[in-house]
Amino acid sequence: MPLLLSTLLLWPALAPAAQKVTVPVDVGVGPAVFMFFGPVFEDQPIHTGLKLSVDAVLDKEWLRKNQRVIPNRYRKQATKVEEIRVSPSIFIPDSFIISPKYRDTGMYGITFKPLGLGLPLSSSPVRFTVGAGLVLSYAYIFSDTLPDTHFLRPGAEVGADLEFQLAKSFLISVGWESTFYVPQELGGLGLPDKLGDGIFHVGQAYLQFHFRFPYSTRL
């Protein structure tokens, strides 16, 4: 599977002539809640935002119909793969924090996920996936009770996603992600004196509405 995926990603650069194909693209967007465990959570447990995803979905049917774009040596492997999802760019945000101050603390931020891997444990119409990835997050935290903070940290994320296919072009998913960051103190960019005095763990629960549509490209 990883070898096949790598080959598909590299194939456009290796192929002698690009071929035009139609790829199903899945765009997912929906509300998310963030929990910054530690002093921020104690001050205000819930912060709001959006979860975003954009993926090309190469399912078993697509791989079977488009074997011509797969190198000969990997075509047999492709018949054993249920689905491959590929994000077209690492610069597409994974989530946005949009949380005005409704009690004492508010924040605005953005997270990118340059590397993510998912392992489906079931297939459509109900698809359960566990995953992990590397992220980079920035959030501006402003508060009446805590020091204003520019949170900027890399992190490692683990999570689970449950997806329901209601129609060929419309799906709904719910999920949870826990991200563990290099700890950061409040009010600065350094390490906290105690782990519990800073920010190191952020939980995210989300609901996404997915819309799928065909997109023609050269592969």
Side-chain angles (χ1 to χ4, degrees), residues 18-91:
Q19 302 179 61
K20 190 172 183 179
V21 296
T22 299
V23 179
V25 173
D26 182 298
V27 177
V29 64
V33 295
F34 301 85
M35 286 148 276
F36 280 65
F37 295 104
V40 177
F41 183 85
E42 294 170 5
D43 181 80
Q44 185 172 307
I46 300 296
H47 291 274
T48 55
L50 291 173
K51 178 75 170 176
L52 176 68
S53 63
V54 179
D55 294 297
V57 181
L58 312 181
D59 59 16
K60 198 166 188 175
E61 181 181 357
W62 188 94
L63 293 169
R64 179 178 57 81
K65 290 181 178 179
N66 294 274
Q67 290 192 29
R68 68 187 187 280
V69 303
I70 304 172
N72 290 334
R73 72 179 74 177
Y74 300 117
R75 287 180 182 176
K76 188 174 182 180
Q77 283 182 273
T79 62
K80 301 177 182 178
V81 175
E82 289 294 329
E83 185 177 273
I84 299 172
R85 297 191 182 191
V86 183
S87 177
S89 173
I90 64 172
F91 299 107

Side-chain angles (χ1 to χ4, degrees), residues 5-217:
L5 179 55
S6 300
T7 303
L8 286 172
L9 293 174
L10 293 173
W11 180 239
L14 300 176
Q19 302 179 61
K20 190 172 183 179
V21 296
T22 299
V23 179
V25 173
D26 182 298
V27 177
V29 64
V33 295
F34 301 85
M35 286 148 276
F36 280 65
F37 295 104
V40 177
F41 183 85
E42 294 170 5
D43 181 80
Q44 185 172 307
I46 300 296
H47 291 274
T48 55
L50 291 173
K51 178 75 170 176
L52 176 68
S53 63
V54 179
D55 294 297
V57 181
L58 312 181
D59 59 16
K60 198 166 188 175
E61 181 181 357
W62 188 94
L63 293 169
R64 179 178 57 81
K65 290 181 178 179
N66 294 274
Q67 290 192 29
R68 68 187 187 280
V69 303
I70 304 172
N72 290 334
R73 72 179 74 177
Y74 300 117
R75 287 180 182 176
K76 188 174 182 180
Q77 283 182 273
T79 62
K80 301 177 182 178
V81 175
E82 289 294 329
E83 185 177 273
I84 299 172
R85 297 191 182 191
V86 183
S87 177
S89 173
I90 64 172
F91 299 107
I92 296 174
D94 178 75
S95 57
F96 295 93
I97 301 173
I98 309 168
S99 185
K101 182 168 54 180
Y102 71 84
R103 208 163 88 181
D104 295 319
T105 302
M107 65 176 74
Y108 296 97
I110 188 170
T111 291
F112 293 93
K113 188 188 295 183
L115 178 62
L117 299 172
L119 176 62
L121 302 181
S122 62
S123 56
S124 297
V126 180
R127 185 177 187 264
F128 180 70
T129 305
V130 294
L134 299 178
V135 303
L136 177 65
S137 297
Y138 167 77
Y140 173 58
I141 302 169
F142 52 98
S143 176
D144 296 331
T145 56
L146 300 171
D148 290 354
T149 303
H150 291 276
F151 176 74
L152 179 62
R153 282 296 192 262
E157 165 254 289
V158 294
D161 182 273
L162 184 61
E163 182 182 87
F164 303 88
Q165 185 167 7
L166 304 182
K168 192 171 183 63
S169 59
F170 179 67
L171 305 88
I172 293 177
S173 66
V174 293
W176 170 268
E177 293 177 349
S178 282
T179 304
F180 299 91
Y181 294 95
V182 176
Q184 180 175 327
E185 64 182 352
L186 293 175
L189 292 172
L191 297 172
D193 293 332
K194 296 180 181 178
L195 190 62
D197 292 340
I199 300 170
F200 74 97
H201 176 205
V202 177
Q204 178 188 169
Y206 60 85
L207 167 68
Q208 277 190 298
F209 301 95
H210 298 261
F211 303 90
R212 289 188 180 177
F213 55 89
Y215 177 77
S216 295
T217 185

